[in-house]
Amino acid sequence: LLPAGGFKFSGGFARKRLWARSTNDLRTQQDMITSKDPHMAEASSVAGVGIFFQQEGDGSVFVKTIVNGGSAEREGSVRVGDLIVAVDDRDVVGEPLATLRGLILGPQGSLVTLAFERGDGPDAQQFDCRLMRGTAEFLAGISASRGMEDDVDEARLQLRQALGHCAQDREELERLRKMLLQEREAAQVREQEMEQVQASNAEESHRLNEVLRKAEQARREAEIKLHPLQQREADLAEELNRQKEKERLRKEYIEELKKRHEEDKNRLEQLHLKEQAGRRDAHGG
């Protein structure tokens, strides 16, 4: 909901509710500006905002019906009985419905700002609402698509994090391998020193053997530390496979949603055709 801001009106239109008017004294016109407008048959990408408008004899236009699932219902600000006073900062008070239709209808996915007035006299309030043009099916598809995209992005983020942890574990493994190699090289040096000293001093040889034993113990401890890292790498590979399976299931779910969307779309189109036929029969009568 945006603040009303800057709309001034002249002409002294009497703004009264529908239930206070006498239909015997007013010439009433009715029309619809919504995603099911008949003029949209030539361009399916053109749609409204899901509102039925009605124009009274004094030229004022008010909201008669809000279409379920339409942009106006999803936004939630507009109510039945609100008077429309401007479209994209253009004053439309007193304008015919044909002009209003031309201003509101547009490509699906585009935005339009409508200004309304609610209430009578000094208690009247003006407000703006910015709505996306589109059919109920189009808007529902956008919501579903965004939800699926968020799930896919979350799965990709988790996969990148898992791969990042895997890379860190590999770096740690490489560091331990280098440390083990260095330890082995140090042990070899100490062993050579032991052989040189052994010839002249048996006691020194015993000391060097003890050092070698400790070095071997350190090597074994390093190998023990290495084993959990190897297990971690295997667990990460298993997690990666699970993420791939989840991705496959999500794709199947998206395809199922698309199929359901197409079925709902066909059903709504059939209902719309029946509604149009009923209107033509009513006008013909």
Side-chain angles (χ1 to χ4, degrees), residues 251-263:
K251 289 181 179 179
E252 292 179 356
Y253 181 63
I254 290 173
E255 291 299 323
E256 180 63 22
L257 285 179
K258 288 181 178 179
K259 181 178 178 182
R260 292 180 182 176
H261 169 72
E262 188 63 27
E263 292 175 354

Side-chain angles (χ1 to χ4, degrees), residues 173 176 222-233:
L173 177 60
L176 291 175
E223 289 178 347
I224 293 174
K225 292 179 180 179
L226 180 63
H227 178 71
L229 293 176
Q230 292 174 336
Q231 182 63 38
R232 174 63 177 169
E233 185 177 18

Side-chain angles (χ1 to χ4, degrees), residues 47-50 70-72 74-75 104 106-113 129-135 138-139 142 146:
V49 293
S71 181
R74 289 172 178 268
E75 197 273 343
I104 294 181
Q108 293 198 95
S110 61
L111 299 175
V112 61
T113 300
C129 62
R130 191 162 178 81
L131 303 175
M132 176 180 287
R133 298 181 177 98
T135 64
F138 173 82
L139 298 174
I142 289 179
R146 286 176 178 172

Side-chain angles (χ1 to χ4, degrees), residues 158-216:
Q158 293 178 359
L159 178 59
R160 286 195 296 268
Q161 291 175 346
L163 292 175
H165 291 316
C166 181
Q168 294 176 357
D169 291 340
R170 288 177 179 174
E171 291 176 358
E172 180 66 12
L173 177 60
E174 184 64 23
R175 186 184 68 83
L176 291 175
R177 286 175 178 173
K178 290 181 179 179
M179 183 178 68
L180 179 59
L181 180 60
Q182 292 173 356
E183 194 67 34
R184 286 177 176 175
E185 292 175 352
Q188 290 177 357
V189 171
R190 289 191 291 269
E191 189 175 3
Q192 291 175 358
E193 292 175 350
M194 181 193 65
E195 290 175 353
Q196 294 174 358
V197 174
Q198 187 177 13
S200 59
N201 195 327
E203 185 178 356
E204 185 67 10
S205 177
H206 177 74
R207 186 184 66 82
L208 290 176
N209 284 329
E210 184 66 17
V211 171
L212 180 60
R213 185 188 65 79
K214 292 180 179 181
E216 185 64 16

Side-chain angles (χ1 to χ4, degrees), residues 36 264-274:
K36 298 298 185 179
D264 291 341
K265 178 180 178 182
N266 293 335
R267 179 176 57 81
L268 290 174
E269 288 177 351
Q270 291 297 324
L271 291 175
H272 176 62
L273 291 175
K274 291 181 180 179

